[in-house]
Amino acid sequence: MKILVTGGTGYIGSHTVVELQKKGFDVIIVDALFNSRIEVLDSIEKITGIRPEFESFDLANQSLTDDFFARHNDIKGIIHFAAHKAVGESVEQPIKYYRNNLDSLMNILEAMDKYKVPNLVFSSSCTVYGQPDAEHLPVSETAPIKKAESPYGNTKQIAEEIIFESINAYKGLNAIALRYFNPVGAHDSALIGELPLGVPNNLMPYITQTGYGIRECLKVFGGDYPTHDGTAIRDYIHIMDLAKAHVVAVERMVNEKMKKSFEIFNLGTGTGYSVLDVIKSFEKVSGVKLNYEIVGRRAGDIEKVWADPTFSNNELGWKAERHLDEMTLSAWNWEKAYRSN
Ligand code: UFG
């Protein structure tokens, strides 16, 4: 059974392709390589023994997208990862984000209707919940959607609405939106992992690059939050647990196990860790003393958020299994392997 993975050479995409292939799915990747590298295909092949089919073009281009689906009439489902994802950049260049993230989705939905591709898994984010009120922590799927903090976050909210309305309008379409908490870590082989271009925005690659000596000092944003150690809390989830959830979602769709034509699931562990917890875990597993300093809060950051994964656990039969130490260790192994090549 063939699955299209858009953004399949990216961070979450590449790990998901590995899991799909392991489960016997045929994969075709479409990726414009805006923020990823073609060599990832070699790594996927090394891990799985299978080189996925690959095409490089911009899904925000309607005629190229239509042409692609006209040529591939054997696709049974789509996992749509391809999107810009830098929160800060989206504030500076909002139109770039709306155009890319929404045009690509709309082109895919139109093609799904026209070429009768029934199943879509969409890459959403816990950013839709903003800072949940105390009574909504941990956050379940029924927690209120908050006004987005950034154009990036807004594209995820609008995208979920576009999918919902399209499914109502185009009969025969199904979708699952997966709202990720904070994906970190890498495949055990250390052949694929997170590869941020330039200075990382996210915590884990900043930690591993600082540990490796590429960055001088990690700035911990905010030491005065009302948390156990004053630093902000997130629900970090191992990338391979996240990848597996995508395969489960695809299987649920193709095996016609969905209860509604549009379902939404939180993907987190259910446990929140502070920035200092993550640093301590890194120091423990790597044996490296991390150079860091606590500075002021980062604008737009929320104080604490973690998932209530009960609905995902029960409905999908999926549970995140890997502990924080496995996340930091795999991220560290990946950093070392990548730098030594
Ligand atoms: N942090 C630091 N120093 C850094 C980087 C991050 O202290 O150099 C802190 C942040 O302040 C935050 C925590 O580490 O408290 C996690 O920050 P990340 O940037 O790794 O992750 P965010 O929770 O800010 O962002 C993630 C995704 C976004 C998404 C957002 C909300 O990267 O795509 O969650 O869902 F929009």
Side-chain angles (χ1 to χ4, degrees), residues 104-262:
S104 59
L105 174 68
M106 291 189 288
N107 291 339
I108 287 170
L109 286 165
E110 257 179 353
M112 288 175 74
D113 181 46
K114 183 169 168 189
Y115 296 102
K116 303 294 165 224
V117 183
N119 300 312
L120 175 72
V121 176
F122 178 68
S123 184
S124 190
S125 168
C126 72
T127 192
V128 302
Y129 302 118
Q131 175 59 65
D133 304 325
E135 79 259 28
H136 291 297
L137 265 178
V139 196
S140 75
E141 291 79 356
T142 54
I145 301 294
K146 292 271 174 70
K147 185 173 163 28
E149 292 273 357
S150 68
Y152 160 77
N154 209 19
T155 66
K156 294 296 177 192
Q157 291 192 5
I158 297 170
E160 286 194 6
E161 288 171 7
I162 292 173
I163 293 169
F164 178 74
E165 287 160 3
S166 301
I167 278 167
N168 279 340
Y170 306 144
K171 296 301 161 218
L173 291 198
N174 304 300
I176 293 180
L178 299 176
R179 291 178 178 161
Y180 317 145
F181 283 68
N182 286 55
V184 293
H187 189 263
D188 289 335
S189 65
L191 286 165
I192 52 173
E194 192 172 6
L195 202 54
L197 299 179
V199 182
N201 291 310
N202 296 115
L203 179 64
M204 193 64 87
Y206 212 108
I207 288 180
T208 55
Q209 290 193 12
T210 308
Y212 201 78
I214 295 161
R215 310 280 154 212
E216 212 168 292
C217 178
L218 168 76
K219 290 189 170 66
V220 174
F221 299 130
D224 59 349
Y225 286 109
T227 61
H228 63 274
D229 59 18
T231 63
I233 292 180
R234 297 287 184 276
D235 187 337
Y236 298 93
I237 174 169
H238 196 294
I239 189 72
M240 293 314 297
D241 280 330
L242 196 71
K244 283 184 182 145
H246 288 79
V247 179
V248 171
V250 166
E251 286 170 339
R252 180 178 176 88
M253 300 184 113
V254 297
N255 296 328
E256 298 181 9
K257 296 271 168 58
M258 291 175 72
K259 305 239 165 94
K260 291 189 293 185
S261 53
F262 184 32

